[in-house]
mmCIF file of all heavy atoms in Angstrom:
data_model
loop_
_atom_site.group_PDB
_atom_site.id
_atom_site.type_symbol
_atom_site.label_atom_id
_atom_site.label_comp_id
_atom_site.label_asym_id
_atom_site.label_seq_id
_atom_site.Cartn_x
_atom_site.Cartn_y
_atom_site.Cartn_z
ATOM 1 N N ARG A 1051 102.615 82.119 107.017
ATOM 2 C CA ARG A 1051 101.486 82.623 106.239
ATOM 3 C C ARG A 1051 101.897 83.602 105.153
ATOM 4 O O ARG A 1051 101.260 83.660 104.105
ATOM 5 C CB ARG A 1051 100.464 83.303 107.146
ATOM 6 C CG ARG A 1051 99.868 82.409 108.212
ATOM 7 C CD ARG A 1051 98.719 83.108 108.920
ATOM 8 N NE ARG A 1051 99.153 84.332 109.587
ATOM 9 C CZ ARG A 1051 98.569 85.512 109.417
ATOM 10 N NH1 ARG A 1051 97.528 85.643 108.613
ATOM 11 N NH2 ARG A 1051 99.026 86.577 110.080
ATOM 12 N N PHE A 1052 102.940 84.376 105.408
ATOM 13 C CA PHE A 1052 103.365 85.429 104.482
ATOM 14 C C PHE A 1052 104.681 85.048 103.821
ATOM 15 O O PHE A 1052 105.521 84.366 104.418
ATOM 16 C CB PHE A 1052 103.559 86.760 105.205
ATOM 17 C CG PHE A 1052 102.305 87.358 105.790
ATOM 18 C CD1 PHE A 1052 101.073 86.729 105.689
ATOM 19 C CD2 PHE A 1052 102.366 88.582 106.448
ATOM 20 C CE1 PHE A 1052 99.926 87.285 106.235
ATOM 21 C CE2 PHE A 1052 101.229 89.155 106.994
ATOM 22 C CZ PHE A 1052 100.008 88.509 106.892
ATOM 23 N N THR A 1053 104.869 85.508 102.594
ATOM 24 C CA THR A 1053 106.112 85.316 101.876
ATOM 25 C C THR A 1053 106.572 86.646 101.312
ATOM 26 O O THR A 1053 105.849 87.279 100.539
ATOM 27 C CB THR A 1053 105.959 84.301 100.739
ATOM 28 O OG1 THR A 1053 105.516 83.046 101.264
ATOM 29 C CG2 THR A 1053 107.293 84.104 100.024
ATOM 30 N N ILE A 1054 107.769 87.066 101.706
ATOM 31 C CA ILE A 1054 108.352 88.281 101.165
ATOM 32 C C ILE A 1054 109.293 87.907 100.026
ATOM 33 O O ILE A 1054 110.011 86.911 100.102
ATOM 34 C CB ILE A 1054 109.078 89.091 102.261
ATOM 35 C CG1 ILE A 1054 109.523 90.454 101.723
ATOM 36 C CG2 ILE A 1054 110.243 88.308 102.854
ATOM 37 C CD1 ILE A 1054 110.047 91.387 102.808
ATOM 38 N N SER A 1055 109.277 88.691 98.969
ATOM 39 C CA SER A 1055 110.137 88.438 97.828
ATOM 40 C C SER A 1055 110.471 89.765 97.156
ATOM 41 O O SER A 1055 109.902 90.809 97.485
ATOM 42 C CB SER A 1055 109.488 87.468 96.840
ATOM 43 O OG SER A 1055 108.288 88.008 96.317
ATOM 44 N N ARG A 1056 111.401 89.705 96.220
ATOM 45 C CA ARG A 1056 111.808 90.922 95.531
ATOM 46 C C ARG A 1056 112.168 90.618 94.093
ATOM 47 O O ARG A 1056 112.591 89.506 93.765
ATOM 48 C CB ARG A 1056 112.998 91.574 96.248
ATOM 49 C CG ARG A 1056 114.277 90.743 96.233
ATOM 50 C CD ARG A 1056 115.281 91.234 97.272
ATOM 51 N NE ARG A 1056 115.671 92.608 97.039
ATOM 52 C CZ ARG A 1056 116.256 93.388 97.939
ATOM 53 N NH1 ARG A 1056 116.508 92.915 99.163
ATOM 54 N NH2 ARG A 1056 116.580 94.635 97.634
ATOM 55 N N ASP A 1057 112.003 91.606 93.239
ATOM 56 C CA ASP A 1057 112.415 91.532 91.851
ATOM 57 C C ASP A 1057 113.330 92.722 91.621
ATOM 58 O O ASP A 1057 112.871 93.849 91.420
ATOM 59 C CB ASP A 1057 111.213 91.572 90.909
ATOM 60 C CG ASP A 1057 111.596 91.370 89.454
ATOM 61 O OD1 ASP A 1057 112.779 91.541 89.104
ATOM 62 O OD2 ASP A 1057 110.696 91.037 88.652
ATOM 63 N N ASN A 1058 114.627 92.471 91.684
ATOM 64 C CA ASN A 1058 115.585 93.565 91.588
ATOM 65 C C ASN A 1058 115.589 94.222 90.212
ATOM 66 O O ASN A 1058 115.933 95.399 90.091
ATOM 67 C CB ASN A 1058 116.986 93.059 91.938
ATOM 68 C CG ASN A 1058 117.119 92.695 93.399
ATOM 69 O OD1 ASN A 1058 116.430 93.256 94.255
ATOM 70 N ND2 ASN A 1058 117.996 91.755 93.705
ATOM 71 N N ALA A 1059 115.221 93.478 89.183
ATOM 72 C CA ALA A 1059 115.160 94.054 87.847
ATOM 73 C C ALA A 1059 114.051 95.084 87.737
ATOM 74 O O ALA A 1059 114.092 95.959 86.868
ATOM 75 C CB ALA A 1059 114.977 92.958 86.804
ATOM 76 N N LYS A 1060 113.055 94.983 88.611
ATOM 77 C CA LYS A 1060 111.925 95.907 88.595
ATOM 78 C C LYS A 1060 111.919 96.848 89.793
ATOM 79 O O LYS A 1060 110.981 97.638 89.950
ATOM 80 C CB LYS A 1060 110.613 95.123 88.549
ATOM 81 C CG LYS A 1060 110.445 94.263 87.314
ATOM 82 C CD LYS A 1060 109.198 93.398 87.395
ATOM 83 C CE LYS A 1060 107.935 94.239 87.405
ATOM 84 N NZ LYS A 1060 106.715 93.384 87.360
ATOM 85 N N ASP A 1061 112.946 96.772 90.641
ATOM 86 C CA ASP A 1061 112.997 97.577 91.866
ATOM 87 C C ASP A 1061 111.695 97.460 92.649
ATOM 88 O O ASP A 1061 111.130 98.457 93.115
ATOM 89 C CB ASP A 1061 113.279 99.042 91.534
ATOM 90 C CG ASP A 1061 114.684 99.269 91.003
ATOM 91 O OD1 ASP A 1061 115.497 98.324 91.015
ATOM 92 O OD2 ASP A 1061 114.968 100.401 90.564
ATOM 93 N N THR A 1062 111.229 96.235 92.790
ATOM 94 C CA THR A 1062 109.927 95.992 93.391
ATOM 95 C C THR A 1062 110.009 94.936 94.478
ATOM 96 O O THR A 1062 110.694 93.915 94.322
ATOM 97 C CB THR A 1062 108.909 95.568 92.325
ATOM 98 O OG1 THR A 1062 108.802 96.596 91.330
ATOM 99 C CG2 THR A 1062 107.536 95.356 92.938
ATOM 100 N N LEU A 1063 109.308 95.192 95.556
ATOM 101 C CA LEU A 1063 109.194 94.289 96.692
ATOM 102 C C LEU A 1063 107.773 93.759 96.745
ATOM 103 O O LEU A 1063 106.826 94.479 96.418
ATOM 104 C CB LEU A 1063 109.528 95.039 97.979
ATOM 105 C CG LEU A 1063 109.511 94.265 99.291
ATOM 106 C CD1 LEU A 1063 110.717 93.340 99.377
ATOM 107 C CD2 LEU A 1063 109.496 95.239 100.466
ATOM 108 N N TYR A 1064 107.623 92.512 97.170
ATOM 109 C CA TYR A 1064 106.311 91.880 97.235
ATOM 110 C C TYR A 1064 106.071 91.272 98.607
ATOM 111 O O TYR A 1064 107.008 90.909 99.318
ATOM 112 C CB TYR A 1064 106.177 90.769 96.196
ATOM 113 C CG TYR A 1064 106.400 91.221 94.780
ATOM 114 C CD1 TYR A 1064 107.639 91.070 94.173
ATOM 115 C CD2 TYR A 1064 105.370 91.799 94.040
ATOM 116 C CE1 TYR A 1064 107.852 91.480 92.869
ATOM 117 C CE2 TYR A 1064 105.570 92.214 92.739
ATOM 118 C CZ TYR A 1064 106.812 92.051 92.154
ATOM 119 O OH TYR A 1064 107.014 92.465 90.866
ATOM 120 N N LEU A 1065 104.810 91.147 98.946
ATOM 121 C CA LEU A 1065 104.413 90.411 100.132
ATOM 122 C C LEU A 1065 103.182 89.594 99.795
ATOM 123 O O LEU A 1065 102.097 90.152 99.598
ATOM 124 C CB LEU A 1065 104.118 91.347 101.310
ATOM 125 C CG LEU A 1065 103.792 90.650 102.632
ATOM 126 C CD1 LEU A 1065 105.022 89.919 103.165
ATOM 127 C CD2 LEU A 1065 103.265 91.646 103.660
ATOM 128 N N GLN A 1066 103.357 88.292 99.712
ATOM 129 C CA GLN A 1066 102.244 87.387 99.497
ATOM 130 C C GLN A 1066 101.680 86.995 100.852
ATOM 131 O O GLN A 1066 102.408 86.473 101.699
ATOM 132 C CB GLN A 1066 102.693 86.154 98.722
ATOM 133 C CG GLN A 1066 101.570 85.157 98.452
ATOM 134 C CD GLN A 1066 102.054 83.932 97.711
ATOM 135 O OE1 GLN A 1066 102.656 84.046 96.652
ATOM 136 N NE2 GLN A 1066 101.789 82.769 98.272
ATOM 137 N N MET A 1067 100.403 87.238 101.044
ATOM 138 C CA MET A 1067 99.754 86.990 102.315
ATOM 139 C C MET A 1067 98.654 85.956 102.123
ATOM 140 O O MET A 1067 97.740 86.157 101.324
ATOM 141 C CB MET A 1067 99.169 88.279 102.887
ATOM 142 C CG MET A 1067 100.189 89.405 103.020
ATOM 143 S SD MET A 1067 99.502 90.862 103.850
ATOM 144 C CE MET A 1067 98.268 91.355 102.639
ATOM 145 N N ASN A 1068 98.754 84.869 102.859
ATOM 146 C CA ASN A 1068 97.769 83.796 102.808
ATOM 147 C C ASN A 1068 97.125 83.611 104.172
ATOM 148 O O ASN A 1068 97.659 84.049 105.191
ATOM 149 C CB ASN A 1068 98.423 82.490 102.369
ATOM 150 C CG ASN A 1068 99.036 82.560 101.003
ATOM 151 O OD1 ASN A 1068 98.478 83.166 100.090
ATOM 152 N ND2 ASN A 1068 100.194 81.927 100.836
ATOM 153 N N ASN A 1069 95.988 82.946 104.171
ATOM 154 C CA ASN A 1069 95.280 82.635 105.419
ATOM 155 C C ASN A 1069 95.091 83.875 106.281
ATOM 156 O O ASN A 1069 95.362 83.871 107.482
ATOM 157 C CB ASN A 1069 96.026 81.549 106.199
ATOM 158 C CG ASN A 1069 96.174 80.266 105.414
ATOM 159 O OD1 ASN A 1069 95.223 79.805 104.789
ATOM 160 N ND2 ASN A 1069 97.367 79.686 105.448
ATOM 161 N N LEU A 1070 94.617 84.912 105.665
ATOM 162 C CA LEU A 1070 94.454 86.184 106.358
ATOM 163 C C LEU A 1070 93.375 86.104 107.432
ATOM 164 O O LEU A 1070 92.390 85.378 107.289
ATOM 165 C CB LEU A 1070 94.122 87.282 105.366
ATOM 166 C CG LEU A 1070 95.290 87.715 104.472
ATOM 167 C CD1 LEU A 1070 94.779 88.470 103.261
ATOM 168 C CD2 LEU A 1070 96.267 88.576 105.273
ATOM 169 N N THR A 1071 93.598 86.851 108.490
ATOM 170 C CA THR A 1071 92.650 86.951 109.591
ATOM 171 C C THR A 1071 92.327 88.421 109.828
ATOM 172 O O THR A 1071 93.049 89.310 109.373
ATOM 173 C CB THR A 1071 93.220 86.344 110.882
ATOM 174 O OG1 THR A 1071 94.198 87.232 111.440
ATOM 175 C CG2 THR A 1071 93.859 84.991 110.613
ATOM 176 N N PRO A 1072 91.237 88.700 110.548
ATOM 177 C CA PRO A 1072 90.920 90.102 110.843
ATOM 178 C C PRO A 1072 92.046 90.844 111.552
ATOM 179 O O PRO A 1072 92.145 92.072 111.428
ATOM 180 C CB PRO A 1072 89.676 89.988 111.727
ATOM 181 C CG PRO A 1072 89.019 88.733 111.266
ATOM 182 C CD PRO A 1072 90.157 87.793 110.967
ATOM 183 N N GLU A 1073 92.897 90.128 112.284
ATOM 184 C CA GLU A 1073 94.020 90.761 112.967
ATOM 185 C C GLU A 1073 95.065 91.289 111.999
ATOM 186 O O GLU A 1073 95.939 92.075 112.396
ATOM 187 C CB GLU A 1073 94.665 89.785 113.949
ATOM 188 C CG GLU A 1073 93.817 89.470 115.190
ATOM 189 C CD GLU A 1073 92.578 88.653 114.855
ATOM 190 O OE1 GLU A 1073 92.683 87.701 114.047
ATOM 191 O OE2 GLU A 1073 91.502 88.960 115.400
ATOM 192 N N ASP A 1074 95.006 90.866 110.745
ATOM 193 C CA ASP A 1074 95.927 91.366 109.731
ATOM 194 C C ASP A 1074 95.481 92.702 109.152
ATOM 195 O O ASP A 1074 96.200 93.297 108.346
ATOM 196 C CB ASP A 1074 96.086 90.351 108.600
ATOM 197 C CG ASP A 1074 96.718 89.054 109.066
ATOM 198 O OD1 ASP A 1074 97.721 89.110 109.810
ATOM 199 O OD2 ASP A 1074 96.217 87.980 108.683
ATOM 200 N N THR A 1075 94.311 93.152 109.528
ATOM 201 C CA THR A 1075 93.811 94.428 109.039
ATOM 202 C C THR A 1075 94.744 95.553 109.460
ATOM 203 O O THR A 1075 95.012 95.748 110.646
ATOM 204 C CB THR A 1075 92.398 94.685 109.565
ATOM 205 O OG1 THR A 1075 91.505 93.711 109.019
ATOM 206 C CG2 THR A 1075 91.915 96.072 109.168
ATOM 207 N N ALA A 1076 95.255 96.287 108.485
ATOM 208 C CA ALA A 1076 96.224 97.344 108.749
ATOM 209 C C ALA A 1076 96.573 98.027 107.442
ATOM 210 O O ALA A 1076 96.221 97.554 106.360
ATOM 211 C CB ALA A 1076 97.498 96.775 109.392
ATOM 212 N N VAL A 1077 97.288 99.127 107.559
ATOM 213 C CA VAL A 1077 97.926 99.738 106.409
ATOM 214 C C VAL A 1077 99.334 99.185 106.325
ATOM 215 O O VAL A 1077 100.083 99.218 107.304
ATOM 216 C CB VAL A 1077 97.960 101.274 106.509
ATOM 217 C CG1 VAL A 1077 98.649 101.874 105.288
ATOM 218 C CG2 VAL A 1077 96.545 101.822 106.633
ATOM 219 N N TYR A 1078 99.702 98.674 105.167
ATOM 220 C CA TYR A 1078 100.989 98.022 104.978
ATOM 221 C C TYR A 1078 101.943 98.951 104.242
ATOM 222 O O TYR A 1078 101.586 99.556 103.229
ATOM 223 C CB TYR A 1078 100.819 96.711 104.214
ATOM 224 C CG TYR A 1078 100.248 95.611 105.070
ATOM 225 C CD1 TYR A 1078 98.913 95.644 105.466
ATOM 226 C CD2 TYR A 1078 101.037 94.544 105.510
ATOM 227 C CE1 TYR A 1078 98.385 94.656 106.278
ATOM 228 C CE2 TYR A 1078 100.516 93.551 106.314
ATOM 229 C CZ TYR A 1078 99.184 93.609 106.697
ATOM 230 O OH TYR A 1078 98.661 92.619 107.501
ATOM 231 N N TYR A 1079 103.178 99.042 104.740
ATOM 232 C CA TYR A 1079 104.206 99.915 104.196
ATOM 233 C C TYR A 1079 105.471 99.131 103.877
ATOM 234 O O TYR A 1079 105.780 98.141 104.539
ATOM 235 C CB TYR A 1079 104.580 101.004 105.197
ATOM 236 C CG TYR A 1079 103.448 101.903 105.629
ATOM 237 C CD1 TYR A 1079 102.649 101.573 106.714
ATOM 238 C CD2 TYR A 1079 103.195 103.090 104.963
ATOM 239 C CE1 TYR A 1079 101.619 102.403 107.123
ATOM 240 C CE2 TYR A 1079 102.169 103.923 105.364
ATOM 241 C CZ TYR A 1079 101.386 103.574 106.449
ATOM 242 O OH TYR A 1079 100.366 104.406 106.849
ATOM 243 N N CYS A 1080 106.203 99.608 102.902
ATOM 244 C CA CYS A 1080 107.503 99.039 102.592
ATOM 245 C C CYS A 1080 108.587 100.097 102.775
ATOM 246 O O CYS A 1080 108.312 101.300 102.768
ATOM 247 C CB CYS A 1080 107.552 98.498 101.155
ATOM 248 S SG CYS A 1080 107.347 99.771 99.878
ATOM 249 N N ASN A 1081 109.816 99.639 102.948
ATOM 250 C CA ASN A 1081 110.961 100.539 103.021
ATOM 251 C C ASN A 1081 112.227 99.714 103.128
ATOM 252 O O ASN A 1081 112.178 98.515 103.417
ATOM 253 C CB ASN A 1081 110.865 101.488 104.217
ATOM 254 C CG ASN A 1081 111.483 102.854 103.950
ATOM 255 O OD1 ASN A 1081 112.337 103.000 103.069
ATOM 256 N ND2 ASN A 1081 111.057 103.851 104.705
ATOM 257 N N ALA A 1082 113.357 100.358 102.895
ATOM 258 C CA ALA A 1082 114.635 99.764 103.232
ATOM 259 C C ALA A 1082 114.857 99.934 104.721
ATOM 260 O O ALA A 1082 114.534 100.982 105.284
ATOM 261 C CB ALA A 1082 115.763 100.430 102.440
ATOM 262 N N LEU A 1083 115.397 98.914 105.366
ATOM 263 C CA LEU A 1083 115.632 99.010 106.804
ATOM 264 C C LEU A 1083 116.504 100.204 107.157
ATOM 265 O O LEU A 1083 116.208 100.944 108.101
ATOM 266 C CB LEU A 1083 116.271 97.724 107.325
ATOM 267 C CG LEU A 1083 115.333 96.553 107.610
ATOM 268 C CD1 LEU A 1083 116.144 95.352 108.091
ATOM 269 C CD2 LEU A 1083 114.284 96.927 108.639
ATOM 270 N N SER A 1084 117.569 100.413 106.405
ATOM 271 C CA SER A 1084 118.469 101.516 106.689
ATOM 272 C C SER A 1084 117.777 102.859 106.512
ATOM 273 O O SER A 1084 118.046 103.805 107.254
ATOM 274 C CB SER A 1084 119.706 101.438 105.802
ATOM 275 O OG SER A 1084 119.359 101.476 104.431
ATOM 276 N N GLU A 1085 116.892 102.954 105.547
ATOM 277 C CA GLU A 1085 116.174 104.192 105.320
ATOM 278 C C GLU A 1085 115.160 104.455 106.423
ATOM 279 O O GLU A 1085 114.964 105.603 106.834
ATOM 280 C CB GLU A 1085 115.471 104.171 103.965
ATOM 281 C CG GLU A 1085 116.417 104.157 102.779
ATOM 282 C CD GLU A 1085 117.248 105.425 102.678
ATOM 283 O OE1 GLU A 1085 116.705 106.526 102.898
ATOM 284 O OE2 GLU A 1085 118.451 105.317 102.381
ATOM 285 N N ALA A 1086 114.527 103.406 106.903
ATOM 286 C CA ALA A 1086 113.525 103.554 107.947
ATOM 287 C C ALA A 1086 114.111 104.070 109.249
ATOM 288 O O ALA A 1086 113.394 104.667 110.060
ATOM 289 C CB ALA A 1086 112.821 102.221 108.184
ATOM 290 N N LEU A 1087 115.401 103.843 109.468
ATOM 291 C CA LEU A 1087 116.063 104.286 110.682
ATOM 292 C C LEU A 1087 116.485 105.746 110.641
ATOM 293 O O LEU A 1087 116.828 106.318 111.679
ATOM 294 C CB LEU A 1087 117.287 103.414 110.957
ATOM 295 C CG LEU A 1087 117.011 101.951 111.308
ATOM 296 C CD1 LEU A 1087 118.311 101.173 111.397
ATOM 297 C CD2 LEU A 1087 116.226 101.851 112.604
ATOM 298 N N LYS A 1088 116.474 106.354 109.492
ATOM 299 C CA LYS A 1088 116.914 107.730 109.354
ATOM 300 C C LYS A 1088 115.917 108.702 109.962
ATOM 301 O O LYS A 1088 114.707 108.475 109.928
ATOM 302 C CB LYS A 1088 117.134 108.077 107.883
ATOM 303 C CG LYS A 1088 118.301 107.355 107.246
ATOM 304 C CD LYS A 1088 118.468 107.766 105.793
ATOM 305 C CE LYS A 1088 119.666 107.100 105.162
ATOM 306 N NZ LYS A 1088 119.826 107.483 103.739
ATOM 307 N N ARG A 1089 116.457 109.783 110.521
ATOM 308 C CA ARG A 1089 115.598 110.838 111.006
ATOM 309 C C ARG A 1089 114.857 111.455 109.821
ATOM 310 O O ARG A 1089 115.447 111.727 108.781
ATOM 311 C CB ARG A 1089 116.409 111.901 111.733
ATOM 312 C CG ARG A 1089 117.151 111.363 112.947
ATOM 313 C CD ARG A 1089 118.012 112.432 113.596
ATOM 314 N NE ARG A 1089 117.219 113.464 114.243
ATOM 315 C CZ ARG A 1089 116.766 113.379 115.480
ATOM 316 N NH1 ARG A 1089 117.032 112.315 116.231
ATOM 317 N NH2 ARG A 1089 116.044 114.369 115.989
ATOM 318 N N GLY A 1090 113.581 111.660 109.972
ATOM 319 C CA GLY A 1090 112.782 112.185 108.888
ATOM 320 C C GLY A 1090 112.648 111.228 107.729
ATOM 321 O O GLY A 1090 112.569 111.658 106.572
ATOM 322 N N ALA A 1091 112.628 109.944 108.021
ATOM 323 C CA ALA A 1091 112.537 108.923 106.990
ATOM 324 C C ALA A 1091 111.307 109.129 106.123
ATOM 325 O O ALA A 1091 110.250 109.552 106.594
ATOM 326 C CB ALA A 1091 112.518 107.538 107.615
ATOM 327 N N THR A 1092 111.462 108.822 104.856
ATOM 328 C CA THR A 1092 110.370 108.920 103.913
ATOM 329 C C THR A 1092 109.603 107.606 103.863
ATOM 330 O O THR A 1092 110.196 106.535 103.746
ATOM 331 C CB THR A 1092 110.889 109.258 102.509
ATOM 332 O OG1 THR A 1092 111.536 110.532 102.535
ATOM 333 C CG2 THR A 1092 109.749 109.288 101.502
ATOM 334 N N TRP A 1093 108.303 107.709 103.958
ATOM 335 C CA TRP A 1093 107.413 106.557 103.847
ATOM 336 C C TRP A 1093 106.409 106.803 102.744
ATOM 337 O O TRP A 1093 106.040 107.943 102.459
ATOM 338 C CB TRP A 1093 106.679 106.298 105.159
ATOM 339 C CG TRP A 1093 107.583 105.899 106.281
ATOM 340 C CD1 TRP A 1093 108.244 106.727 107.140
ATOM 341 C CD2 TRP A 1093 107.930 104.569 106.659
ATOM 342 N NE1 TRP A 1093 108.985 105.985 108.034
ATOM 343 C CE2 TRP A 1093 108.811 104.663 107.768
ATOM 344 C CE3 TRP A 1093 107.586 103.305 106.177
ATOM 345 C CZ2 TRP A 1093 109.345 103.540 108.396
ATOM 346 C CZ3 TRP A 1093 108.116 102.189 106.797
ATOM 347 C CH2 TRP A 1093 108.988 102.320 107.899
ATOM 348 N N GLY A 1094 105.958 105.729 102.127
ATOM 349 C CA GLY A 1094 104.926 105.840 101.124
ATOM 350 C C GLY A 1094 103.561 106.005 101.752
ATOM 351 O O GLY A 1094 103.417 106.165 102.970
ATOM 352 N N GLN A 1095 102.546 105.975 100.902
ATOM 353 C CA GLN A 1095 101.179 106.149 101.387
ATOM 354 C C GLN A 1095 100.630 104.886 102.038
ATOM 355 O O GLN A 1095 99.615 104.944 102.733
ATOM 356 C CB GLN A 1095 100.268 106.578 100.229
ATOM 357 C CG GLN A 1095 99.759 105.439 99.340
ATOM 358 C CD GLN A 1095 100.808 104.876 98.382
ATOM 359 O OE1 GLN A 1095 101.936 105.350 98.313
ATOM 360 N NE2 GLN A 1095 100.406 103.850 97.641
#
């Protein structure tokens, strides 16, 4: 249902979501995996 992609020239990550269901309701966050593992990791809004 979902497709993750990236545009390195724009330093941008994308998530295309299709066939959404109420169970997909959530706040969605992005990060680098290595950064997410760090103590005190920074997350966006």
